[in-house]
Amino acid sequence: MRGLSRASLAEVEERFNAVAGSADLGTLSDELFAVADLLDREHGLRRALSDPSRPGEQKAGMIRSLLDGRISEAALATAETAVSARWSRAGDLADVLERLGVASAAAEAEGQSRLDEVEDELFRFGRIVAANPELRRALTDAGAPEAGKQELLSRLLDGKVAPTSLRLINQLVLHPRGRSLESGLEEVGHLVAEQRRRLVAVVRTAVELTDAQRQRLMAWLRTSYGRDVHLNVEVDKRVLGGFSVRIGDEIIDTTIVGRIEEVRRRLAG
C-alpha cells in the first residue's frame, strides 16, 4: 500500500507471519485495522510512534502500554515491530498495519477455501459501485453516519458474500484513508491475490514453537523455496521428537517416527 520501505515491511511481515499461525485470523484482522484507524485519528500519537529519532524499544514500550490487554498478543506483537521499524513518512505506519489486516483476512479466507470467492466478490462489488452512482454516494458520503453505512452494507451483502469480503468492504467504506472506494477495492484485491502466491506450510510438533523457532523455520523455508512461507502449526502430542513440515505434496519429516520409517524404506530397498 503506497511506497513502503521494503526492508521495514519485510521485518514486520516476518514478525506477523510468526505470530499469525496460532492466532484467530479474523480477530487479528479486525484488531490490526483498529490500530491503523487509531493512528489515522490520533495525529500526535502517530508522529510520536513514527519519529525516527526515538529508539525503537521506546516506541514499542509506548504502544504496549497503550494497548496491552485491549488487543490480542499477536496484534500487539505485530504493532510493536511496526512502530520499532523505520518509515519514510508518518502515514506508513498505519499503511503497513492495514496491509497486514488485509493479509490476515485473506489468510482466513484461504483456510476456509474461499480465497477465489473473496477475490471475485471484491471485483464485482467494485463494478457494482462504479455502475450505481446513488449507491456510491451513500457509501462515500463523509457526512453520513457510520451506522447507516454499515446497515446498508449488511442489507446488501450479509449472507450473500463471504464473511472476509464483508469485513474488507466494511473497512474500506468506513475508513477510506484518502482513497476512492473503487481504488481501495482494487488495492485490497491485489493484496488478497498476493496471498495465493505465498506458500503455506503445515507444521506438526509435540510442543508449541517459540517465536524464535518460528522465525528460524520460516527463514530456512524462505531460503529453500525462494518465496514467503506462512506457518500453520498443529500441536500433536503423538509426535515423538522433532517436527514435520508439509508444503503441498512435499513432506519434510524430522520426527523420530519419520526417521525410523526412512531407515525401514532404505533397508527394504
Side-chain angles (χ1 to χ4, degrees), residues 126-168:
R127 303 287 77 75
I128 290 169
V129 169
N132 192 324
E134 283 189 27
L135 174 61
R136 187 184 189 283
R137 231 178 349 259
L139 294 175
T140 59
D141 181 358
E146 287 189 0
K149 294 179 182 179
Q150 283 181 307
E151 184 182 350
L152 175 57
L153 286 174
S154 182
R155 288 203 315 269
L156 287 171
L157 302 175
D158 202 10
K160 300 173 185 175
V161 300
T164 296
S165 301
L166 186 55
R167 170 180 281 115
L168 294 173

Side-chain angles (χ1 to χ4, degrees), residues 161-183:
V161 300
T164 296
S165 301
L166 186 55
R167 170 180 281 115
L168 294 173
I169 292 169
N170 261 303
Q171 173 66 16
L172 289 167
V173 167
L174 301 181
H175 307 283
R177 309 192 63 238
R179 298 166 298 209
S180 71
L181 182 52
E182 294 90 338
S183 65

Side-chain angles (χ1 to χ4, degrees), residues 71-88:
I71 59 176
S72 66
E73 187 59 33
L76 187 52
T78 303
E80 282 182 313
T81 305
V83 301
S84 300
R86 296 182 69 86
W87 306 104
S88 57

Side-chain angles (χ1 to χ4, degrees), residues 23-33 71-72 75 104 108 167:
D24 180 314
L25 293 170
T27 298
L28 180 57
S29 176
D30 289 340
E31 290 174 339
L32 292 174
F33 285 151
I71 59 176
S72 66
S104 186
E108 180 184 46
R167 170 180 281 115

